[in-house]
């Protein structure tokens, strides 16, 4: 092998190798030294990832090799993962200072992001699956950072079982694709689906459905969502790493195999139904929660569902944009959750004024006019199929309607011009960013079916109605009764937990009572 094709492989291997080496060396050092090494390794991995993305965009790297891929999708995900890893390590060095198990955390968090780097760069089915398994096993240890907490142990147990089920689905799907194409290289398999080329074989249909099922499980869609809500018992940096850099890998799996998914009607229907309903229910359930971290966890389930829906509709560029924005926002939200408490108190002290029917109608008409104007502008400047689906336009119209109708509060006076400018900025940013990300991904000519678009549009309308009723209709007795079920999450997790423990029992740590932590002399004196 000549040096020129070997160099890109070595460059791509440097990122996970740097993180893995940092984890191994740090395990033999004292905590202060281990944190110092971790900060350096994650910074090095971040800089290498940024350099690789620049080289990739300049076509200085081959698109794929036997083991690695260097397409824009892979390099963008690599940069995102290592950015989240760098931020988490910098934050954790202060947050976990003095913890008895902090040295273990340093090694595990680097191991997690080393495995994530391998996963997003992998061009081999077995390497992808092995790295995916490594992420799950290392994250399991982080979720059990406080092993004496019953809720943390229960959540980790459920996640462990669900993750093995998702990996089994992926394993069978990969085996079917390997047998059908005679190759284990992901790029070779994906390139076999350049566009609508006729009916898929039975094995391809089954593989597409299994990949969709694996992504749904990994993204904590209802009813297998409970572990994601309960792992907030883990330290805040663990939640930031999970929600910002790990859970979105289910969406990455579907993005990677989207050419296959978009040719399988059963797989698309599975994602649109399960993820669509999950995103609406999780968003409405989130509104009933008081705990900041629990609200963020429900938000992640809802956002992951929406991202999967976007992929199933063929909006892969929008899904990639959504994935990047959500990861950065959610990592920031968890790491600043202490400030979020104060912000929430301020919002409660300055509640928004209830809009009248006329204000709702006016906001709706104005939002519809803005979105329609953008639609005319888009059609005048591009004929890309990325803007063919009308359900995103419906969602944008409803979101702008809520933004404009609820613009008044005791803290912020009615400033219609400012909010109109903000709405116009959102509409413009949507078009600009979606067009930008469309240039970074392989071109595909896909238009979602009318029924799929109508289904998702109906769910968006129901979400808007549910939001309005929860905000302004809780004085009605029937809405209060329905809100009880939303608060309970429709008891889905209770049913799943009982079923899981019945099929696979797990001994949970007992609850620690306050008196057990007191010396005997204190108990006698009291």
């Amino acid at each position: 092998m000549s040096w020129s094709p070997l160099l890109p492989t070595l460059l791509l291997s440097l990122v996970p190798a740097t993180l893995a080496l940092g984890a191994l060396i740090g395990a033999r050092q004292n905590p202060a030294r281990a944190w110092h090494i971790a900060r350096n390794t994650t910074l090095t991995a971040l800089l290498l990832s940024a350099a690789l993305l620049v080289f990739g965009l300049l076509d200085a790297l081959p698109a794929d090799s036997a083991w690695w891929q260097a397409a824009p999708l892979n390099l963008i995900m690599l940069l995102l993962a290592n950015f989240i890893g760098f931020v988490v390590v910098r934050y954790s060095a202060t947050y976990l200072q003095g913890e008895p198990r902090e040295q273990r955390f340093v090694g595990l968090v680097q191991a997690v992001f080393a495995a994530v780097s391998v996963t997003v760069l992998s061009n081999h089915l077995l390497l992808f699956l092995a790295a995916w398994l490594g992420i799950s096993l290392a994250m399991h240890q982080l979720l059990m950072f406080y092993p004496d907490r019953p809720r943390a142990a229960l959540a980790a147990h459920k996640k462990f079982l669900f993750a093995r089920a998702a990996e089994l689905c992926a394993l069978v799907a990969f085996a079917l694709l390997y047998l059908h194409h005679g190759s284990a290289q992901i790029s070779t398999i994906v390139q076999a689906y350049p566009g609508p080329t006729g009916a898929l074989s039975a094995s391809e249909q089954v593989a597409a459905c299994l990949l969709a099922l694996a992504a749904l499980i990994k993204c904590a869609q209802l009813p297998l969502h409970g572990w994601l809500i309960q792992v907030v018992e883990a330290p805040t940096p663990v939640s930031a790493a999970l929600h910002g850099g790990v859970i979105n890998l289910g969406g990455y799996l579907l993005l990677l195999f989207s050419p296959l998914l978009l040719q399988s009607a059963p797989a698309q229907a599975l994602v649109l139904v399960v993820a669509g309903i999950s995103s609406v229910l999780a968003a409405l359930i989130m509104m009933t929660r008081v705990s900041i971290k629990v609200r963020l966890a429900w938000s992640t389930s809802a956002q992951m569902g929406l991202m999967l829906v976007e992929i199933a509709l063929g909006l892969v560029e929008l899904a990639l944009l959504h994935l990047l924005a959500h990861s950065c926002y959610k990592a920031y939200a968890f790491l600043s959750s202490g400030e979020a408490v104060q912000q929430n108190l301020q919002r409660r002290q300055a509640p928004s004024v209830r809009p009248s029917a006329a204000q709702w109608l006016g906001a709706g008409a104005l939002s519809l006019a803005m979105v329609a104007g953008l639609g005319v502008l888009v059609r005048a400047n591009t004929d890309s199929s990325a803007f063919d689906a009308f359900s995103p336009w419906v969602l944008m119209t409803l979101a702008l309607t809520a933004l404009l109708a609820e613009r008044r509060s005791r803290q912020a006076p009615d400033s219609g011009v400012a909010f109109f400018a903000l709405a116009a900025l959102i509409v413009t940013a949507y078009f600009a960013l979606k067009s930008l990300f469309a240039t970074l991904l392989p071109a595909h000519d896909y238009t979602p079916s009318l029924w799929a678009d109508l289904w998702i549009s109906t769910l968006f309308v129901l979400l808007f109605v549910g939001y309005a009723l929860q905000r302004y209709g809780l004085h009605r007795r029937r809405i209060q009764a329905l809100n009880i079920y939303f608060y309970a999450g429709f008891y889905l997790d209770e049913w799943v937990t009982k079923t899981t423990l019945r099929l696979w029992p797990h001994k949970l740590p007992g609850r620690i009572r306050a008196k057990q932590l007191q010396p005997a002399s204190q108990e006698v004196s009291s």
Side-chain angles (χ1 to χ4, degrees):
M1 178 181 290
S2 63
W3 175 252
S4 55
L6 181 62
L7 181 59
T9 301
L10 291 175
L11 289 175
L12 293 171
S13 303
L14 275 178
V15 176
T18 300
L19 293 170
L21 187 61
L24 291 175
I25 296 177
R28 302 174 179 272
Q29 308 295 325
N30 59 63
R33 182 65 178 168
W35 283 119
H36 178 72
I37 293 173
R39 285 192 292 266
N40 289 334
T41 56
T42 52
L43 177 60
T44 303
L46 175 61
L47 296 176
L48 285 172
S49 302
L52 287 171
L53 178 58
V54 172
F55 291 151
L57 294 178
L58 295 176
D59 293 329
L61 294 174
D64 54 71
S65 63
W67 295 98
W68 302 117
Q69 286 192 86
L73 172 62
N74 308 94
L75 298 177
I76 290 172
M77 290 295 299
L78 179 68
L79 179 60
L80 171 67
N82 284 284
F83 173 71
I84 299 297
F86 172 72
V87 172
V88 168
V89 166
R90 295 279 296 185
Y91 180 91
S92 304
T94 302
Y95 183 89
L96 294 174
Q97 187 175 11
E99 285 278 355
R101 296 160 59 87
E102 63 174 313
Q103 193 170 356
R104 178 180 175 84
F105 178 92
V106 179
L108 285 173
V109 74
Q110 292 179 89
V112 165
F113 286 101
V116 171
S117 299
V118 173
T119 301
V120 299
L121 289 175
S122 175
N123 192 33
H124 196 281
L125 295 176
L126 287 181
L127 180 62
F128 182 99
L129 193 60
W132 217 21
L133 176 62
I135 296 170
S136 182
L137 294 178
M139 182 56 67
H140 179 80
Q141 298 301 318
L142 287 176
L143 297 178
M144 290 293 292
F145 189 79
Y146 297 126
D148 295 331
R149 296 185 177 182
R151 282 174 58 85
L154 176 61
H157 175 64
K158 290 193 293 184
K159 182 191 179 299
F160 184 87
L161 296 179
F162 298 158
R164 302 294 81 76
E167 289 148 10
L168 179 60
C169 290
L171 175 62
V172 176
F174 287 173
L176 292 173
L177 291 175
Y178 172 77
L179 293 175
H180 183 82
H181 295 279
S183 174
Q185 289 191 4
I186 297 174
S187 59
T188 302
I189 295 172
V190 171
Q191 290 169 6
Y193 305 99
T197 56
L200 299 179
S201 66
S203 61
E204 290 173 302
Q205 292 281 12
V206 172
C209 290
L210 288 173
L211 289 175
L213 185 59
L216 290 168
I217 297 173
K218 283 286 189 176
C219 288
Q221 297 301 281
L222 275 64
L224 306 181
H225 64 286
W227 67 267
L228 182 65
I229 314 303
Q230 293 156 357
V231 294
V232 296
E233 293 282 332
T236 296
V238 176
S239 297
L242 174 64
H243 292 258
V246 174
I247 196 171
N248 52 34
L249 291 178
Y252 170 72
L253 174 69
L254 281 196
L255 277 174
L256 195 60
F257 289 94
S258 58
L260 170 61
L261 176 75
L262 296 178
Q263 295 190 38
S264 174
Q268 285 178 276
L270 175 63
V271 173
L272 290 173
V273 172
V274 177
I277 295 176
S278 295
S279 62
V280 172
L281 290 181
L284 294 176
I285 293 170
M286 179 195 69
M287 295 181 63
T288 66
R289 294 304 188 263
V290 177
S291 169
I292 298 299
K293 293 180 70 174
V294 173
R295 285 174 65 93
L296 290 173
W298 277 107
S299 170
T300 295
S301 182
Q303 295 295 329
M304 290 297 101
L306 181 58
M307 182 183 64
L308 296 179
V309 164
E310 291 163 352
I311 299 172
L313 289 175
L315 306 172
V316 291
E317 66 289 325
L318 183 59
L320 178 57
L321 173 60
H322 190 168
L323 189 154
L324 296 176
H326 174 267
S327 295
C328 294
Y329 160 72
K330 200 51 65 74
Y332 168 79
F334 269 101
L335 296 181
S336 62
S337 56
E339 299 176 4
V341 174
Q342 183 63 30
Q343 295 170 1
N344 184 60
L345 290 175
Q346 292 178 355
R347 283 195 299 268
R348 289 176 179 271
Q349 293 171 359
S352 58
V353 180
R354 179 177 179 177
S356 64
Q359 289 171 334
W360 279 113
L361 291 175
L366 182 58
S367 300
L368 182 60
M370 294 177 61
V371 173
L374 175 62
V376 173
L377 179 64
V378 166
R379 282 305 167 204
N381 291 276
T382 180
D383 56 355
S384 173
S385 61
F387 296 93
D388 287 346
F390 59 82
S391 50
W393 302 101
V394 173
L395 178 60
M396 183 180 297
T397 302
L398 295 173
L400 291 177
T401 299
L403 175 67
L404 293 173
E406 298 179 333
R407 66 181 184 271
R408 299 181 302 158
S409 72
R410 298 175 186 174
Q411 195 174 32
D414 186 3
S415 52
V417 176
F419 275 88
F420 178 80
L422 176 61
L425 178 63
I426 292 173
V427 170
T428 305
Y430 169 76
F431 170 69
L433 291 174
K434 189 173 180 181
S435 300
L436 172 63
F437 277 82
T439 63
L440 298 177
L441 296 175
H444 69 284
D445 186 16
Y446 177 81
T447 301
S449 68
L450 176 62
W451 294 110
D453 237 356
L454 286 174
W455 163 250
I456 298 303
S457 299
T458 302
L459 289 178
F460 288 158
V461 173
L462 291 176
L463 174 61
F464 179 79
V465 173
Y467 167 80
L469 290 176
Q470 283 201 345
R471 279 291 297 259
Y472 306 110
L474 286 179
H475 60 283
R476 301 178 184 274
R477 184 171 301 176
R478 291 183 179 179
I479 304 302
Q480 291 176 357
L482 181 61
N483 199 55
I484 293 175
Y485 287 93
F486 276 105
Y487 183 79
F490 292 92
Y491 303 99
L492 292 173
D493 182 54
E494 285 75 9
W495 174 77
V496 169
T497 300
K498 291 179 181 178
T499 304
T500 302
L501 293 178
R502 186 182 303 116
L503 296 177
W504 200 299
H506 180 71
K507 185 178 180 180
L508 301 176
R511 295 184 180 274
I512 300 177
R513 298 182 180 180
K515 288 186 176 182
Q516 294 177 349
L517 302 178
Q518 297 177 356
S521 59
Q522 293 184 9
E523 294 184 10
V524 173
S525 60
S526 61

